[in-house]
Amino acid sequence: TASYYAIFRLKDDIPPEIKNVSVSSNLFSPNGDGILDTATINWTLSDNITFNLVDAEIVVNDSSGNIIRELIKQERLQGTYADVWDGKDNSGVVVPDGKYVINIDAKDLFGNKAIQQSVKVIVDTVSSMSSISIGQPQYDYKDETPIVVSSMTLFTLTAVDPDPDASGVDYSEYNINNSGWARYSSPFSIPNTFSDGNITINYRSVDKAGNVEVAKSITITLDNTRPVAEFLSPSPDLIGIEQNVNGIVTIIGTSTDLHFDYYNLEYAE
């Protein structure tokens, strides 16, 4: 009886492919606030040999090219994957704000290397900063009491992101006397539906990474009430000859207002 056998040596010189690479968000803020805390890297691994295991590796590099996180390093079959970076380095510490590059590499059992694929992300955990300015008309007593304004006075919000590599300002918003947050688009005034008196305006900004600034506030005094002027002498009730006067006339009157500034006396023949 004769036995026959053959030895087959598999040859493969076709490298695997890394395709369809994307990231859930190029901006994220791993600060634990539940908003954009992670970045998910979506990608597809393919190879010409169906059940060929491929050595896959994903690393995160900082702007200087240093590897700060080895995200995965394992054998994988071809398929679609979603790997998550939580914004931490290999020591489990959240990385500093800035720009990072996520590199994906793959090599099959025959040593064939795939063309490296990369995605860029920005880590931004610091919120933007906003300020408010008060237009005219306004009056400042300069005694640490609230500035007096009317419903014609315009308020302007300005916001900046302090880090040039950060995500940038997305929007600002304001809240008048806890009436609800309103998106800022242009200078605003306090509606005359609010009663005269002290009014608190809260304001804040939100950057493109979802970081919400701690709200700031300013208190002003709303005054939409006109002053009241009254003549006492000469009496406005004079009639007939009583209205004729000669020489110097003493005019006595009152002007009443909570925030009185000045008065004008006008007369005509």
Side-chain angles (χ1 to χ4, degrees), residues 22-45:
S22 65
V23 65
S24 57
S25 175
N26 293 100
L27 302 169
F28 76 113
S29 56
N31 54 10
D33 64 357
I35 303 174
L36 295 176
D37 281 331
T38 61
T40 301
I41 304 96
N42 302 291
W43 60 291
T44 299
L45 176 64

Side-chain angles (χ1 to χ4, degrees), residues 30-252:
N31 54 10
D33 64 357
I35 303 174
L36 295 176
D37 281 331
T38 61
T40 301
I41 304 96
N42 302 291
W43 60 291
T44 299
L45 176 64
S46 64
D47 192 64
N48 62 309
I49 300 178
T50 303
F51 297 105
N52 191 14
L53 286 171
V54 175
D55 292 325
E57 182 178 34
I58 299 180
V59 298
V60 182
N61 296 76
D62 62 18
S63 57
S64 298
N66 302 308
I67 296 177
I68 52 94
R69 178 69 181 274
E70 187 178 89
L71 200 58
I72 68 158
K73 189 175 184 179
Q74 58 187 212
E75 291 183 333
R76 288 189 173 178
L77 291 170
Q78 58 181 318
T80 299
Y81 296 95
D83 295 288
V84 178
W85 182 34
D86 58 5
K88 297 179 180 179
D89 61 19
N90 285 328
S91 300
V93 178
V94 174
V95 299
D97 285 9
K99 297 178 180 179
Y100 295 86
V101 178
I102 301 173
N103 294 315
I104 308 174
D105 290 285
K107 181 178 66 174
D108 66 19
L109 299 179
F110 298 93
N112 301 306
K113 294 182 179 180
I115 297 175
Q116 185 183 76
Q117 300 295 319
S118 303
V119 289
K120 296 179 180 180
V121 295
I122 294 177
V123 172
D124 181 5
T125 60
V126 179
S127 66
S128 48
M129 299 184 298
S130 58
S131 58
I132 192 170
S133 60
I134 306 174
Q136 298 293 338
Q138 61 159 276
Y139 187 79
D140 187 354
Y141 284 100
K142 300 187 183 303
D143 59 358
E144 298 185 357
T145 57
I147 292 175
V148 181
V149 303
S150 74
S151 287
M152 294 187 295
T153 307
L154 294 179
F155 296 83
T156 302
L157 293 183
T158 304
V160 295
D161 211 330
D163 187 345
D165 289 333
S167 59
V169 179
D170 189 6
Y171 63 90
S172 298
E173 55 187 2
Y174 60 93
N175 187 343
I176 302 175
N177 258 13
N178 294 319
S179 59
W181 288 100
R183 186 74 63 95
Y184 177 80
S185 58
S186 61
F188 64 93
S189 60
I190 300 174
N192 57 16
T193 52
F194 285 87
S195 301
D196 283 5
N198 285 352
I199 301 287
T200 298
I201 302 174
N202 293 296
Y203 58 97
R204 65 189 181 189
S205 60
V206 180
D207 68 17
K208 294 177 182 177
N211 297 304
V212 181
E213 179 185 16
V214 175
K216 300 175 182 176
S217 67
I218 184 174
T219 298
I220 52 83
T221 298
L222 182 65
D223 179 11
N224 283 325
T225 303
R226 296 175 180 272
V228 177
E230 181 180 7
F231 273 113
L232 300 179
S233 178
S235 171
D237 297 327
L238 295 177
I239 58 175
I241 196 172
E242 295 177 336
Q243 295 176 315
N244 297 325
V245 294
N246 290 312
I248 298 174
V249 177
T250 300
I251 298 175
I252 301 174

